[in-house]
Amino acid sequence: MLQEIVRQCQRENPFAQRRLYDHFANRLYRLCRRYVKNPLETEEVLMNAFLKIFRSVGGFEYRSDDELEVWMKRIAVNECLMHLRRTKTTEWLWDDTPAEEVPYSTGSSAEADLHAEGIHELILSLPDGYRTVFCLYALEGYSHREIGTLLNISENTSKSQLSKARAALQALLSKNGYTYERR
């Protein structure tokens, strides 16, 4: 099914483009939301990512559904990073906010179950630099070398930002009555 949709997208068929969009929009929106806090900006980033996908699908060689999704996610992540570069100064990468000072309030009791949406909100509350490196490393599977290249920082800066992000998340979890055990 997806292979035929991609083939039709390569022929610039607008109906196939709509079907590809409908199939992946929610997943890619959630991915973009990890990097871009503002929902309206997230939608803009998503639209820009799909425009790039539709422009470059002609050069995409379809092998599997999984490979298609990985290719599209990479475009979306790159679009998010370009958005962050355009809208922020480079200092966002070196935010040294101590973990205990990261603002966040669940608005619910510590007894409440922390579900995926709650964790997502905790991640969104991290400073931009922490959140970006954390998402690239822990959620997208990039290496510190790849993150360094993408963000134009050293591997050690990437490692440092990840460490600070983890500490901040630990603090947020414990503030909300949860313990964190690193595996």
Side-chain angles (χ1 to χ4, degrees):
M1 177 180 115
L2 280 178
Q3 185 173 13
E4 182 56 32
I5 291 172
V6 169
R7 201 179 337 250
Q8 291 299 317
C9 285
Q10 290 171 332
R11 295 183 185 129
E12 299 181 12
N13 179 319
F15 298 109
Q17 291 173 338
R18 178 60 191 222
R19 287 181 66 197
L20 188 69
Y21 174 86
D22 289 343
H23 189 82
F24 287 102
N26 287 335
R27 271 181 266 186
L28 293 180
Y29 177 84
R30 287 191 310 271
L31 180 143
C32 292
R33 190 77 168 95
R34 294 178 196 153
Y35 299 93
V36 181
K37 285 184 182 182
N38 181 308
L40 291 175
E41 290 179 15
T42 303
E43 289 178 22
E44 180 183 343
V45 169
L46 179 65
M47 290 301 114
N48 289 337
F50 268 103
L51 285 172
K52 286 190 177 177
I53 288 166
F54 295 141
R55 280 189 209 123
S56 58
V57 73
F60 177 75
E61 186 178 328
Y62 185 92
R63 293 188 193 99
S64 70
D65 292 356
D66 290 340
E67 194 171 303
L68 173 65
E69 186 169 354
V70 167
W71 176 74
M72 293 175 70
K73 283 182 175 181
R74 194 167 283 264
I75 291 172
V77 166
N78 285 335
E79 192 60 32
C80 290
L81 297 178
M82 287 191 337
H83 172 78
L84 290 172
R85 284 186 199 109
R86 278 192 308 267
T87 60
K88 308 263 183 209
T89 61
T90 55
E91 288 104 39
W92 65 271
L93 281 169
W94 295 281
D95 189 344
D96 285 327
T97 306
E100 59 274 2
E101 291 181 22
V102 174
Y104 182 77
S105 170
T106 60
S108 62
S109 70
E111 293 80 40
D113 286 333
L114 187 62
H115 58 288
E117 189 61 34
I119 292 171
H120 181 253
E121 290 301 317
L122 290 176
I123 292 170
L124 281 179
S125 72
L126 293 172
D128 292 340
Y130 295 4
R131 186 181 68 252
T132 301
V133 172
F134 178 82
C135 289
L136 287 170
Y137 184 85
L139 304 177
E140 310 303 332
Y142 285 88
S143 70
H144 287 294
R145 177 175 289 163
E146 291 170 318
I147 294 169
T149 300
L150 284 170
L151 301 179
N152 198 26
I153 59 175
S154 72
E155 283 183 59
N156 287 336
T157 299
S158 175
K159 290 175 185 178
S160 170
Q161 292 294 291
L162 178 63
S163 176
K164 290 174 183 178
R166 285 181 173 158
L169 280 174
Q170 280 180 306
L172 291 170
L173 287 168
S174 89
K175 185 191 268 186
N176 289 286
Y178 296 91
T179 57
Y180 171 81
E181 294 180 27
R182 191 167 172 196
R183 295 181 179 175

